[in-house]
Amino acid sequence: MNELPFQQIPDVSPTGRYTTAVPFMLILAVSALKEIFEDIKRRRADHKVNSFPTLILEDNIWQHKSWREIRVGDLVRVDNDHLFPADLLLLSSSEPQGMCYIETSNLDGETNLKIKQSLPDTAPLTTLEKLVPFQADIECELPSRHVNEFSGNVILGQPVPFGIDQLLLRGARLKNTSWVVGAVIYTGHDSKLMMNSKTAPLKSGTVDQKTNTRIVFLFFVLVALAFISAAGAEFWRKENLPNAWYISFLQHDGRASFPWHVLTFFILYNNLIPISLQVTLEIVRFFQASYINVDLEMYDSNSDSCAVARTSNLNEELGLVKFVMSDKTGTLTRNVMKFKRVSVGGKIFGDNETDDFTDEELIEEYRSAPKSQNGMDIKELLTMMAVCHTVVPEEKDGKLSYQCSSPDEGALVRGAASQGFVFHTRQPQKVVLSVDTVIMERLAKGSEDAIEICHEHLEEFASYGYRTLCFATRDIGEDEYKEWSKAYRAAGILITGRQQALAYEAEKIEVNLRLVGATAIEDKLQEFVPETIQALMAADMRVWMLTGDKRETAINIGVFFKAYCSLAGALASIFSPLLKFEMCIGAFSVHIFVILFVRESASYLSTGCT
């Protein structure tokens, strides 16, 4: 349709004016109506979201307002199963110690509940009488799109630091909590959800790219033919027109010049460009997507859902896939953790046959000699399993249950409870660190034999595909702790560079640790995972597994997939470990980025660090 403007010039176009203008106007009208319809849908969706009701503390009472009326600094109450209207600082909740549970599936796709806890200074603000006179200044970092990072201070006489654990993000949903009260930090486009919202990119498949390339080529061919034909017409005009007395008037007609001939032939040859091909492709893709949506071969009875083709532009790409990259936990595995085995005192307890840890020899050895070194190590290990976590206990109908954001933590707490170390409340008394890769580097000298034995046990655990974790401890003197705590608190009130400062201070105290033991947690594979991967390999697709587990665990997971794995590459040097240290409990972890390339003929394992 690029030649349409030329076709409307009577002396240039060899075709009718309306035969091309009317279809073109119809296409433009349909496209315009489609865009108008999409804009109306977006406007209605925005209006619906901005009109959601919420409770705002105004004139000393809770008043119903819409989301669009929320301002920074307002106190907002959110009830159970409602979305947060803005980024909020959690002040208090209906749960003890100001805790609440949120679901962030709208933000990161994770359906497991996450735990948030208010500051101890604001947790008592549970009634209207306490909230009305409450006043405080809040200083925080500028709006950013990083959903897992946040630093700020609440000025209550003196700065009280708060972070991501007290931040309730817009778009998250309150769960299993009657209500929460929060102070509005960011609204509208300053909220982290909106800052991460991007316009969906226009996706084009291989067929589109090749079609566009060929259409461009044909366009240049069309231009070349138009110039060649115009040159031929000009040559004929000069050679034959003087003798053609019946059209002699063309000799003095400026419209018969070379440029006009180029335009005329350009219009005449326009059918060389297959404009209708694009329309045909769109129709074919539409019906392909319709068939995908109702294909019973891709129906899942558990969720009662069929496949959904969200964009029909990429249908043909399904037949061109060569690489499949998959996360392990929760994708290839069930994300249901079971505490299986434990290494302590140079011995392994537990077995691989039972679903849960049922070895009574562990607790019997502790009870028979609680003052021995092995007995003290067993007690220390079970104590750390029971208290070093973010699990929140709940007692309902006389039964104790645990709410946890990490399935690993839940498995460890339940494993300790099965041995009589039941977690009821949080009362940390010492600094305890866990995670094997970094722990080994921070152990005190003189424990090489224990390290070697534990390392052998870790390799055995990894050979079964278990998730492994090391435990170590250190007793700290009161004077040393006071000096370190002062510097740590000073780092905690920084607005910029808080995480780096906390990591630096934590490095000072995480030394000369004593290895206690290690645990093994099982995360079983999803149903039909090996068969699915074998089918993908049979289709000449290469499957890559991304995991943060130990190298040995990753290799054995590949073996479980019935694939032959070979190692090509060495473990890169570990740098910039990720530090998580909270008050009296430290959790130091390095996530080793392992890519397992599974293929029937050959496989490769490359490693790096994050």
Side-chain angles (χ1 to χ4, degrees), residues 544 551 555 564-572 594-598 602-608:
W544 293 64
R551 179 178 59 184
I555 293 175
Y564 302 97
C565 303
S566 63
L567 184 63
L571 185 64
V594 181
I595 303 179
L596 185 61
F597 174 26
V598 184
S603 61
Y604 307 92
L605 180 68
S606 59
T607 59

Side-chain angles (χ1 to χ4, degrees), residues 31 118 130 152 197-198 214 335 342-343 351-354 385 397 441 458 479 496 534 578 597 608:
S31 300
S118 66
K130 295 179 180 179
S197 299
K198 297 181 180 179
R214 283 157 176 75
N335 201 23
V342 61
S343 168
D351 56 65
N352 301 314
E353 285 72 27
T354 58
M385 289 172 55
D397 300 329
E441 301 175 357
L458 288 173
D479 294 338
T496 58
Q534 283 189 329
L578 176 65
F597 174 26

Side-chain angles (χ1 to χ4, degrees), residues 104-235:
T104 59
S105 58
N106 293 336
L107 303 176
D108 52 20
E110 296 184 6
T111 56
N112 55 303
L113 300 184
K114 294 180 173 59
I115 300 172
K116 299 290 184 178
Q117 184 174 10
S118 66
L119 297 172
D121 303 79
T122 62
L125 302 175
T126 55
T127 62
L128 190 61
E129 291 74 16
K130 295 179 180 179
L131 285 169
V132 169
F134 174 74
Q135 290 185 347
D137 293 329
I138 299 176
E139 56 181 18
C140 56
E141 61 186 27
L142 294 175
S144 70
R145 59 189 302 269
H146 303 295
V147 297
N148 295 319
E149 299 177 5
F150 185 76
S151 300
N153 294 322
V154 179
I155 311 300
L156 297 170
Q158 60 181 2
V160 179
F162 68 92
I164 195 65
D165 291 335
Q166 288 78 40
L167 189 65
L168 305 175
L169 298 180
R170 174 179 176 172
R173 187 181 297 273
L174 185 65
K175 288 288 188 180
N176 297 346
T177 307
S178 299
W179 53 265
V180 297
V181 174
V184 178
I185 303 294
Y186 304 126
T187 62
H189 290 280
D190 288 339
S191 64
K192 293 183 180 293
L193 174 65
M194 296 300 294
M195 295 192 74
N196 281 277
S197 299
K198 297 181 180 179
T199 303
L202 180 62
K203 299 179 180 179
S204 59
T206 305
V207 172
D208 282 332
Q209 296 173 4
K210 291 184 177 180
T211 301
N212 293 337
T213 301
R214 283 157 176 75
I215 288 178
V216 171
F217 172 75
L218 290 175
F219 174 78
F220 285 107
V221 171
L222 173 61
V223 172
L225 289 176
F227 273 93
I228 293 173
S229 299
E234 189 68 18
F235 176 79

Side-chain angles (χ1 to χ4, degrees), residues 285 288-290 292-293 306-312 315 318:
R285 287 168 176 160
Q288 283 180 340
S290 301
I292 291 175
N293 292 338
C306 293
V308 178
R310 300 189 183 279
T311 173
S312 60
N315 292 343
L318 295 176

Side-chain angles (χ1 to χ4, degrees), residues 518-539:
T519 58
I521 296 177
E522 181 186 35
D523 187 12
K524 292 185 178 180
L525 297 178
Q526 300 268 20
E527 290 184 333
F528 309 116
V529 165
E531 292 81 359
T532 301
I533 291 183
Q534 283 189 329
L536 293 175
M537 292 191 301

Side-chain angles (χ1 to χ4, degrees), residues 393-429:
E394 283 189 348
E395 189 169 353
K396 294 182 179 179
D397 300 329
K399 295 183 179 180
L400 186 65
S401 61
Y402 298 107
Q403 296 289 342
C404 54
S405 58
S406 170
D408 297 85
E409 291 183 343
L412 292 174
V413 173
R414 287 188 291 270
S418 68
Q419 301 301 305
F421 286 69
V422 182
F423 171 63
H424 290 282
T425 185
R426 186 177 306 280
Q427 294 180 349
Q429 300 296 330

